[in-house]
Amino acid sequence: MDKDSKQPSTGRIAWGVGIAVTLVTLLMTDWSYLTAGPVHTVSSIAAAVFFGFLAAQSAIFGIEFREKRRREKD
């Protein structure tokens, strides 16, 4: 991808997707479960970060797959 391109980098998209999914996962978690104790809090945060990581990896895979297909078409 050229430096003059107006498209955001793959890393920026992946970070955005990962952070968004992490925050949404935490917001969807029941507050009483998060405050039930340290084990519940840590496991909830770990699960949210894990889902964010999976979403970021999926975004990277999708972007690279799209770019590969576009290069093969040309």
Side-chain angles (χ1 to χ4, degrees):
M1 195 178 301
D2 295 332
K3 294 277 184 191
D4 299 333
S5 177
K6 298 293 182 191
Q7 295 178 351
S9 69
T10 303
R12 184 178 296 175
I13 293 171
W15 271 101
V17 168
I19 290 170
V21 169
T22 300
L23 291 176
V24 167
T25 305
L26 281 176
L27 289 174
M28 290 176 57
T29 305
D30 186 20
W31 185 250
S32 62
Y33 185 79
L34 278 174
T35 57
V39 173
H40 296 288
T41 304
V42 170
S43 64
S44 295
I45 292 171
V49 169
F50 178 70
F51 289 137
F53 173 76
L54 287 180
Q57 291 298 314
S58 299
I60 290 171
F61 175 77
I63 292 167
E64 289 179 353
F65 183 75
R66 182 186 67 197
E67 290 295 322
K68 181 180 174 186
R69 278 195 21 209
R70 186 181 299 154
R71 274 188 252 123
E72 287 175 356
K73 240 183 189 178
D74 294 339

